[in-house]
Amino acid sequence: MDFSSDNSFGVHPAIMDAVLAANGGTAVSYGGDDITARVKARFRDLFETDLEVLLVPTGTAANALAVSAFTPTVGAVFAHAEAHIAVEECGSAEFFSGGARLVPVTGFGARMTPATLAAALEACPEGNSRVHVPSVLTLTQATECGTLYRPDDIAALAEIARSRSMAVHIDGARFANAVAALGCPPADIAWRAGVDVMTFGATKNGAMSVEALVLFDTSKAAELDRLRLRAGHLLSKMRFMAAQMDACLADGLWLKLAGDANAAAARLSAGLAALDGVRLAWPTEANEVFAVMPSGLSAHLDRAGARFHGWTTVGLAGTDAMPGKGEELRRLICSFDTGTGAVDRFLAVARGYNG
Ligand SMILES: Cc1ncc(COP(=O)(O)O)c(C=O)c1O
């Protein structure tokens, strides 16, 4: 009953097998190998366009490098106030960009809106040479609250970004979960909606350690390649990272695994919401469930050995979902390997609480 993170789970066997299979003979180092070339071709097919791909081992590196390629050191990067890049990456984007500033944008469920983005942009009035230059808009898909941006949402935000000459980045650590939930072509929530560069996550979706920096604006590819090297994220034995991504993308495995994670979360969410005294903080749209529950139930589940985290209530301030006295907010994440068995065991324990 581990719902602590999609990172807590292991590696999907097909992906592990691909790493082992890549272990024969020699291969050109630093990404000149055949598997890396195949991964690029797969991404071009997947997104139905020309693009460039750079693999890195962590989502933090992907986000920071993507942002730093598109911002000057005096740039302003607009991110949701609860975004991972803003609160969980230790200033990586600011550091790698050489001092760009992250400007927080508000919005319920970790989703910014055209109105909240426009309000945040007022921090950087046009023609004012004493403030940072708006340079990047970064959106998380699926968001840190497990909610989604629809294609039109992204297009509307990208239009505002474009009106201020900003590039658009997607932190897609859980992009696969978003695509599986929305059922749209990946391009519809990427370049077709105005996205220039994205982090395409695989680690949380059954890989060991690989994320792709996907550049739809290929003009920055050579610079980003150097930034990756300078940051120490150009792996010499690239084939082993590439093999993971190759297996993810082969035969739609990435989408199947994300769909399985989403289905487990939907089952968990429905079961929890049906319990007396439990309510969802945000709708469950991908593979994360946020439930406000009685503290007694929360402790009962902990005692039964369930693993899941408490979560900040900052995003619930002023809303009906805000936990009251004797209640708390907890986050449950389902992975490709959670399965219905763990969900049903957890719900059975929860139903057995009679506090
Ligand atoms: C939305 C989001 N973006 C980026 C990251 C960073 O990934 P990593 O831990 O691989 O650096 C995470 C990790 O939890 C995340 O949830």
Side-chain angles (χ1 to χ4, degrees):
M1 295 192 295
D2 190 339
F3 300 94
S4 57
S5 170
D6 26 20
N7 286 327
S8 308
F9 288 78
V11 177
H12 187 273
I15 299 172
M16 194 61 101
D17 286 351
V19 174
L20 292 175
N23 198 27
T26 63
V28 182
S29 50
Y30 295 108
D33 60 281
D34 293 345
I35 309 176
T36 302
R38 193 158 66 230
V39 165
K40 286 183 190 172
R42 286 197 194 280
F43 271 113
R44 287 180 184 134
D45 285 351
L46 186 66
F47 282 102
E48 308 169 69
T49 190
D50 192 26
L51 47 74
E52 282 299 333
V53 178
L54 286 88
L55 301 179
V56 290
T58 74
T60 302
N63 287 345
L65 291 172
V67 164
S68 65
F70 283 86
T71 187
T73 64
V74 293
V77 175
F78 290 78
H80 194 282
E82 293 154 55
H84 201 272
I85 196 169
V87 294
E88 302 259 16
E89 296 180 9
C90 202
S92 185
E94 290 101 323
F95 176 77
F96 279 106
S97 61
R101 179 182 175 197
L102 244 69
V103 180
V105 186
T106 56
F108 186 67
R111 279 166 30 108
M112 60 178 86
T113 65
T116 61
L117 175 59
L121 273 162
E122 285 174 17
C124 301
E126 273 177 279
N128 183 341
S129 61
R130 302 187 75 88
V131 296
H132 292 74
V133 185
S135 53
V136 178
L137 168 66
T138 174
L139 307 170
T140 312
Q141 176 79 309
T143 73
E144 289 75 5
C145 292
T147 56
L148 297 174
Y149 289 101
R150 270 75 193 164
D152 287 353
D153 299 329
I154 298 176
L157 293 165
E159 196 180 320
I160 296 174
R162 202 65 65 212
S163 75
R164 297 294 304 272
S165 306
M166 297 162 74
V168 180
H169 167 249
I170 296 275
D171 172 356
R174 298 189 180 87
F175 186 78
N177 302 94
V179 175
L182 293 171
C184 64
D188 285 8
I189 48 171
W191 65 269
R192 269 193 209 117
V195 174
D196 300 290
V197 57
M198 69 173 293
T199 303
F200 182 103
T203 309
K204 294 181 194 305
N205 193 28
M208 189 187 304
S209 179
V210 63
E211 314 279 300
L213 262 164
V214 181
L215 281 145
F216 304 109
D217 173 356
T218 55
S219 68
K220 297 284 185 187
E223 185 184 343
L224 201 41
D225 203 18
R226 287 191 174 82
L227 289 172
R228 177 178 61 169
L229 171 60
R230 192 171 64 177
H233 279 289
L234 174 62
L235 266 65
S236 53
K237 294 192 179 179
M238 185 70 78
R239 64 173 141 153
F240 298 106
M241 270 205 310
Q244 296 173 57
M245 192 57 90
D246 191 36
C248 278
L249 299 180
D251 304 323
L253 181 67
W254 68 287
L255 205 50
K256 173 179 184 319
L257 298 185
D260 290 349
N262 290 355
R267 189 178 182 97
L268 178 62
S269 178
L272 275 171
L275 294 175
D276 272 352
V278 178
R279 62 186 180 280
L280 299 177
W282 300 286
T284 303
E285 296 189 315
N287 66 325
E288 298 180 88
V289 181
F290 293 83
V292 177
M293 60 179 69
S295 299
L297 171 59
S298 173
H300 169 75
L301 288 160
D302 287 335
R303 278 195 302 275
R307 294 189 58 208
F308 61 128
H309 290 303
W311 201 249
T312 172
T313 56
V314 70
L316 295 178
T319 73
D320 291 346
M322 187 71 174
K325 204 167 176 314
E327 290 183 327
E328 50 196 76
L329 173 61
R330 307 236 10 207
R331 182 192 75 169
L332 302 105
I333 300 196
C334 293
S335 87
F336 73 98
D337 208 17
T338 298
T340 49
V343 170
D344 291 349
R345 277 196 301 283
F346 179 90
L347 290 173
V349 173
R351 286 185 198 110
Y353 173 67
N354 52 17

